[in-house]
Amino acid sequence: MGDKGSFWMPESASSLSGEVDALFYLTYWISFVILGAVAVAIAYFAIRYRRRSESYIPPTTKDARILELASIIFPTILVLIVFTWGFKVYLKLNIAPPASYEIQVTASQWKWDFGYPDGTVYAGDLHVPANRPVRLVMNSLDVLHSFFVPQFRIKQDVVPNRYTSVWFEASRADTFDIFCTEYCGAQHSAMLGKVIALPQAEFDEWLAGAGGGGLSPEVYGERLFGQNTCNACHSIDGSRLIGPTMLGLFGSDRALESGESVLADENYLRQSIVAPAEQIAAGFPNQMPPSFGSLPPEQINALIAYIRTLQ
Ligand code: CUA
């Protein structure tokens, strides 16, 4: 089934892996042709302009304008083509389709945990629906890891204290390899897993049996918002309390006391919970208790999921 790969590349199994490969082979063939041309030119010049006798003095060489211009313009055009094409593919690889299925990935020495929208956390293997965009929101509990699925041509560092994300769409139901590609300690090379892409119906069935039935992150987050008395200082209806309201916060541009402004994304919200003094919202005192920095990551994830719903 599908492309079985080539000498250089493993099989190609995501909606974008074909484009990554096409770009790779473009640069590959350009390099190959230039390598060949340079090698032939070296051999030709070495013979053509060899020293013929002890007394021979070569004539002065005049500069060849055309040749010099060509050697500037031609490589510049090649580089711009590769850059433009590469940038387009880079954007596609980095911007997940809005309707992507979201999974929280938590890396730690030395395993991957996958958190599903219904609250299920599953360790080791990543089950996903095939032929559907899947966005992974990733963070690490300890050191730097990196999430790599060669058959999808995606690789993204997974970092403590911030979220990174990556997305893919498996182009068929099959099993693919996950590697950690950042040296993360003694068992780094054993930090493996499988992506198990299933047809949607089978995926739903798997998820229902995987120990779900917990609260959704949004509902859990709403409960935590009350339990941690976040609501004492932050309204959810736009009214002003001690701190800024949560209504319409996610995705907005936030003016800071420092005069800068930031996008209120997952990283901003997380930062505001664990290290509130670093980015103070303009017009509000720095009164957020630092104790929330010790909330477990899954609770911070749930709070962010809840705040996202307040639009
Ligand atoms: Cu985790 Cu290497």
Side-chain angles (χ1 to χ4, degrees):
M1 244 203 314
D3 165 17
K4 277 293 145 200
S6 65
F7 180 73
W8 297 114
M9 291 288 201
E11 59 183 319
S12 157
S14 84
S15 57
L16 288 177
S17 49
E19 293 192 42
V20 175
D21 291 5
L23 184 57
F24 170 79
Y25 282 113
L26 174 78
T27 51
Y28 171 83
W29 283 114
I30 288 176
S31 308
F32 197 79
V33 167
I34 291 176
L35 173 71
V38 168
V40 168
I42 287 174
Y44 172 75
F45 291 143
I47 296 163
R48 174 79 175 76
Y49 298 109
R50 70 188 184 278
R51 197 173 191 200
R52 284 158 203 269
S53 74
E54 284 300 308
S55 57
Y56 176 70
I57 296 168
T60 313
T61 318
K62 280 185 285 178
D63 52 340
R65 252 328 129 68
I66 299 287
L67 205 57
E68 277 182 25
L69 275 177
S71 68
I72 293 168
I73 292 167
F74 182 63
T76 306
I77 290 172
L78 283 182
V79 167
L80 286 177
I81 289 172
V82 172
F83 169 77
T84 312
W85 190 351
F87 191 61
K88 278 186 177 161
V89 177
Y90 173 83
L91 289 181
K92 283 190 196 171
L93 282 169
N94 275 273
I95 302 172
S100 299
Y101 184 81
E102 244 177 57
I103 299 173
Q104 303 280 337
V105 178
T106 308
S108 56
Q109 288 167 324
W110 288 275
K111 70 184 173 73
W112 303 101
D113 285 315
F114 302 104
Y116 289 84
D118 70 347
T120 304
V121 175
Y122 198 84
D125 295 332
L126 170 60
H127 294 70
V128 297
N131 300 114
R132 185 172 165 192
V134 174
R135 177 174 182 248
L136 305 179
V137 178
M138 311 193 286
N139 77 339
S140 165
L141 298 182
D142 38 51
V143 298
L144 183 58
H145 302 271
S146 185
F147 184 88
F148 180 34
V149 182
Q151 287 104 326
F152 296 164
R153 313 288 191 262
I154 57 162
K155 187 194 277 182
Q156 173 63 53
D157 280 3
V158 184
V159 186
N161 298 318
R162 66 179 291 188
Y163 294 102
T164 54
S165 77
V166 74
W167 80 276
F168 62 84
E169 180 179 328
S171 51
R172 58 194 156 85
D174 204 344
T175 300
F176 309 101
D177 300 309
I178 300 171
F179 294 106
C180 177
T181 55
E182 194 71 63
Y183 181 68
C184 56
Q187 293 301 309
H188 156 70
S189 61
M191 192 166 164
L192 305 170
K194 295 280 182 202
V195 179
I196 301 171
L198 301 167
Q200 184 74 48
E202 282 179 40
F203 172 76
D204 293 339
E205 212 174 293
W206 171 82
L207 189 57
L215 300 171
S216 73
E218 289 82 356
V219 173
Y220 186 34
E222 183 175 16
R223 187 198 280 179
L224 291 168
F225 198 81
Q227 282 175 356
N228 290 301
T229 60
C230 307
N231 51 7
C233 298
H234 298 284
S235 78
I236 58 168
D237 60 7
S239 58
R240 188 190 166 103
L241 301 175
I242 293 171
T245 182
M246 296 292 114
L247 184 71
L249 171 62
F250 189 86
S252 67
D253 267 311
R254 304 290 292 164
L256 300 182
E257 201 67 84
S258 64
E260 298 168 282
S261 92
V262 291
L263 176 69
D265 59 7
E266 287 97 342
N267 283 314
Y268 170 77
L269 292 181
R270 184 183 179 283
Q271 181 81 352
S272 298
I273 295 169
V274 303
E278 294 195 19
Q279 290 178 313
I280 303 294
F284 292 91
N286 175 17
Q287 288 190 6
M288 174 91 170
S291 59
F292 294 119
S294 61
L295 285 177
E298 66 272 21
Q299 296 197 14
I300 293 176
N301 290 345
L303 281 166
I304 293 171
Y306 170 58
I307 292 167
R308 274 176 72 160
T309 66
L310 303 170
Q311 294 298 327

